[in-house]
Amino acid sequence: MKRVFLSIVALMCMTMAQAQPRAFKVRSNIPTDSIRLSDPAILADQKTKMYYMTGTGGMMWRSADLKLWEGPFRVTEFDANSWMGAHPMIWAAELHQTGDGYYYYFATFTNQAVKIDTVRGNVIERRASQVLRADNPMGPYRAFGDATYLPANRPTLDGTFWRDTDGKPYMVFCGEWLQNWNGTIEKIELKPDLSGTVGESKLLFRASDSPWSREKDEQGNITWNKVTDGPWVFRTGTGRLGMLWTSWVYDVYTQGVAYSASGTLDGPWIQEPEPITPPTYGHSMLFQRFDGQWMMSVHSHTKDAQGRTVRIPHFFEVDLSGDKLMIDILSPKKKTKKK
């Protein structure tokens, strides 16, 4: 009996250990190209004069110069009784400030223990964008408002923040292509303190509106790609409203841009005919360095010699002074501008 009891205790300890988040060793002076991170998003915090980098995986990196980084830090805490569970998967985390003294953590959370649908043989897990909050950039970020921000029967992802011309805050997010088979980008109004959402979402555009994405359908015909990914809203120096977003050209991760004809989130959104960044770059956001220079944070999406996907953060200088976003792409041989 004693052996049985000890075996049970040992099994329980192993199970508990497996349920706990893996510990990470914090390292210093790590160059950007040595970091493996999808969907890198930067907060340039004027209060601390530090750059904070989040992304997929839910970890945080910080830097004084965008060149050498310290991290990774775990900065989130979850209630096991929430729809997300104690240890959700975290995708595309972003940090935002609204001027109220708080730091807001927009991210996609997936509870793999909960299945909400099956479409064309794909079992779809409970996944949604939601907002956490902290009183300093290093967290801990915790849920603080409504139990849910978006419908439980829909997988949604890549929520980002925008305050439109009506003065109201909004979440702009993607509807998962695995369920609707034609990914969407939508908006939903947020409460003034970002503690929840108001009303229902509104469609802004669909994956099929893209003039540049490509894939082959089940019959082998070339058509638009079904994926919508990583929206980021911005204004140019002339006041034109634009949106970066990502899809695929066959098996190449690719990013495009659209501009709103009305100057508001309601659009209509006119898609630029060509991608905005070179092939294999996507899911970007924009921020200003402390010297005022606009930057794009983006990740490259390539395969290594063993066929494993490698995602590395990159920073490009951006010119927003005109009517269109212009990106300075630096290479050893030349410097070109992409618009």
Side-chain angles (χ1 to χ4, degrees):
M1 288 296 294
K2 184 176 180 180
R3 288 182 179 178
V4 172
F5 175 76
L6 291 175
S7 297
I8 293 172
V9 170
L11 181 61
M12 291 175 62
C13 290
M14 290 176 60
T15 303
M16 291 174 63
Q18 291 170 356
Q20 296 303 310
R22 183 161 57 96
F24 287 85
K25 180 181 179 180
V26 174
R27 298 171 290 155
S28 299
N29 298 318
I30 306 301
T32 305
D33 60 8
S34 294
I35 296 173
R36 301 296 178 260
L37 180 67
S38 303
D39 317 326
I42 301 293
L43 172 70
D45 184 47
Q46 290 290 343
K47 184 176 180 180
T48 60
K49 291 299 181 182
M50 294 288 288
Y51 298 101
Y52 298 89
M53 181 165 64
T54 52
T56 287
M59 308 303 290
M60 174 88 77
W61 293 82
R62 63 185 177 189
S63 171
D65 59 8
L66 294 174
K67 297 177 181 178
L68 297 176
W69 296 85
E70 182 185 17
F73 300 95
R74 190 177 299 281
V75 295
T76 53
E77 292 183 1
F78 298 96
D79 180 355
N81 295 319
S82 73
W83 74 262
M84 293 175 275
H87 307 298
M89 291 176 61
I90 303 175
W91 293 353
E94 302 176 356
L95 299 183
H96 293 272
Q97 293 174 287
T98 64
D100 63 359
Y102 289 107
Y103 296 82
Y104 294 93
Y105 189 96
F106 282 64
T108 305
F109 303 100
T110 301
N111 187 336
Q112 295 180 288
V114 180
K115 317 300 180 185
I116 62 171
D117 202 355
T118 301
V119 178
R120 302 193 185 191
N122 292 310
V123 177
I124 299 173
E125 299 164 339
R126 177 77 167 93
R127 175 179 302 130
S129 296
Q130 192 143 328
V131 185
L132 311 183
R133 188 178 72 180
D135 57 11
N136 74 84
M138 292 297 294
Y141 291 90
R142 303 184 181 98
F144 69 103
D146 290 352
T148 61
Y149 280 57
L150 295 167
N153 62 349
R154 295 186 60 201
T156 55
L157 66 156
D158 293 354
T160 189
F161 175 76
W162 184 252
R163 193 178 297 278
D164 213 2
T165 54
D166 58 7
K168 296 178 180 179
Y170 290 88
M171 179 190 288
V172 177
F173 65 94
C174 297
E176 176 70 82
W177 70 272
L178 283 171
Q179 186 181 55
N180 57 35
W181 226 243
N182 187 1
T184 60
I185 292 185
E186 306 175 34
K187 73 166 188 177
I188 192 167
E189 183 182 343
L190 292 167
K191 294 179 179 179
D193 63 357
L194 312 193
S195 63
T197 54
V198 179
E200 297 182 353
S201 64
K202 177 181 178 180
L203 176 69
L204 303 183
F205 59 86
R206 299 180 186 276
S208 55
D209 293 330
S210 167
W212 49 264
S213 70
R214 295 286 185 275
E215 69 176 18
K216 289 187 178 181
D217 64 19
E218 295 169 351
Q219 287 74 45
N221 301 310
I222 297 174
T223 183
W224 42 268
N225 195 281
K226 296 182 284 294
V227 173
T228 51
D229 193 47
W232 181 268
V233 188
F234 64 93
R235 283 200 187 276
T236 68
T238 62
R240 194 180 188 194
L241 187 67
M243 186 189 302
L244 295 159
W245 68 285
T246 302
S247 188
W248 295 80
V249 177
Y250 302 113
D251 60 346
V252 179
Y253 202 52
T254 306
Q255 180 174 239
V257 65
Y259 291 96
S260 169
S262 68
T264 73
L265 285 179
D266 289 329
W269 288 90
I270 310 302
Q271 306 289 332
E272 291 287 283
E274 299 295 331
I276 189 71
T277 42
T280 75
Y281 290 91
H283 200 120
S284 74
M285 55 82 63
L286 305 178
F287 68 98
Q288 276 185 291
R289 287 192 321 226
F290 294 127
D291 64 3
Q293 172 65 53
W294 279 99
M295 303 291 292
M296 173 182 284
S297 175
V298 64
H299 78 258
S300 58
H301 190 108
T302 58
K303 299 283 188 180
D304 65 13
Q306 288 72 44
R308 297 169 298 194
T309 300
V310 179
R311 302 174 180 92
I312 301 173
H314 296 266
F315 305 122
F316 298 143
E317 291 189 354
V318 170
D319 183 357
L320 286 175
S321 62
D323 201 42
K324 287 188 176 183
L325 182 153
M326 306 281 289
I327 306 171
D328 285 347
I329 308 298
L330 299 177
S331 71
K333 295 183 179 179
K334 64 180 181 178
K335 177 179 178 179
T336 62
K337 285 193 174 182
K338 187 81 175 178
K339 66 179 181 178

